[in-house]
Amino acid sequence: AQTVTQSQPEMSVQEAETVTLSCTYDTSESDYYLFWYKQPPSRQMILVIRQEAYKQQNATENRFSVNFQKAAKSFSLKISDSQLGDAAMYFCAYGLTGTASKLTFGTGTRLQVTL
Amino acid sequence: SQTIHQWPATLVQPVGSPLSLECTVEGTSNPNLYWYRQAAGRGLQLLFYSVGIGQISSEVPQNLSASRPQDRQFILSSKKLLLSDSGFYLCAWRKAGRYDTEAFFGQGTRLTVV
């Protein structure tokens, strides 16, 4: 069974600094997607970034980028120039491609942004 | 564009009462549909997912059930609620196939069983 592990329950970063959130996963598949979702206090789940496993290039979205290490089954999220609005719960998720797919989430990392 | 609707937003139910949460998706066909539960301060636990009408996969044995009577409708039910059923329930959809497979979430239902 696929599992997703986020070993950092809480992280803190100063405004304008950079923070990295860790995620590891376990799978025997070769074709899959990885995601980072943000859940602010409103509890609406917002997609931050996604990575296709077949792509070697790390995904980037503005201040957000990932470090995808397929062999190590590691998928970390780097937030640069942190802003107060980045404070939220961040969830790493794994999903297979194809019709028989389910999305598996980690337990989340609560990110605090301080002045 | 695709949208997902989930209701109600908040629900307070007594122990032993029935439950029905509904989720509908617009603007797409044959989506994969999911029900997740999030306990306070915890991660997302997958409860059920469906890849088609009448096709339900259960991830966690419990007193909840799910149904998919129409292509874009997903219902979470219980005949008798337990205190432990309290939590935040999220419905999500995902396009089946090779590309664009991120999940899109509804606004969630906060369920309190008293």
Side-chain angles (χ1 to χ4, degrees):
Chain A
Q2 293 86 11
T3 58
V4 178
T5 301
Q6 294 180 250
S7 58
Q8 306 155 313
E10 291 190 8
M11 294 282 285
S12 182
V13 63
Q14 282 192 321
E15 198 177 17
E17 296 297 310
T18 296
V19 64
T20 299
L21 309 184
S22 301
C23 173
T24 59
Y25 58 97
D26 185 24
T27 183
S28 58
E29 303 291 335
S30 60
D31 195 11
Y32 52 87
Y33 281 81
L34 295 164
F35 309 90
W36 278 99
Y37 280 86
K38 171 184 177 180
Q39 188 182 44
S42 68
R43 305 197 81 169
Q44 175 67 53
M45 294 288 286
I46 302 166
L47 177 69
V48 175
I49 198 165
R50 72 174 188 182
Q51 173 78 44
E52 293 89 337
Y54 68 90
K55 289 186 177 179
Q56 294 184 338
Q57 186 174 6
N58 289 323
T60 61
E61 286 287 346
N62 301 314
R63 298 183 294 107
F64 299 88
S65 61
V66 299
N67 183 5
F68 173 48
Q69 301 290 329
K70 190 172 185 179
K73 297 179 182 176
S74 171
F75 182 62
S76 61
L77 174 70
K78 185 172 81 171
I79 306 174
S80 304
D81 186 26
S82 296
Q83 300 175 0
L84 293 177
D86 295 333
M89 281 288 286
Y90 287 82
F91 293 97
C92 178
Y94 163 98
L96 288 171
T97 60
T99 55
S101 67
K102 59 181 179 179
L103 220 52
T104 302
F105 284 79
T107 52
T109 296
R110 182 172 300 280
L111 178 66
Q112 293 183 324
V113 181
T114 59
L115 294 171
Chain B
S1 63
Q2 301 91 359
T3 56
I4 179 169
H5 303 280
Q6 182 183 344
W7 69 93
T10 305
L11 194 59
V12 179
Q13 291 285 94
V15 170
S17 64
L19 173 72
S20 181
L21 303 182
E22 189 163 343
C23 172
T24 59
V25 181
E26 296 177 358
T28 188
S29 60
N30 197 31
N32 290 339
L33 296 171
Y34 307 82
W35 279 112
Y36 288 88
R37 178 169 61 197
Q38 185 178 23
R42 304 285 297 277
L44 276 69
Q45 179 187 36
L46 179 62
L47 301 176
F48 302 94
Y49 70 99
S50 171
V51 299
I53 295 175
Q55 300 179 60
I56 308 295
S57 296
S58 174
E59 290 293 301
V60 182
Q62 56 203 335
N63 71 319
L64 298 173
S65 62
S67 61
R68 185 171 177 173
Q70 300 180 44
D71 181 45
R72 291 168 290 174
Q73 183 185 29
F74 204 25
I75 298 171
L76 183 68
S77 304
S78 173
K79 293 181 178 179
K80 289 185 178 181
L81 284 169
L82 307 173
L83 287 174
S84 58
D85 292 323
S86 293
F88 189 66
Y89 290 81
L90 284 160
C91 179
W93 77 272
R94 189 177 177 218
K95 184 183 295 186
R98 186 68 181 82
Y99 302 104
D100 297 325
T101 58
E102 60 263 36
F104 299 92
F105 287 82
Q107 300 278 9
T109 297
R110 185 183 306 276
L111 172 66
T112 304
V113 183
V114 296

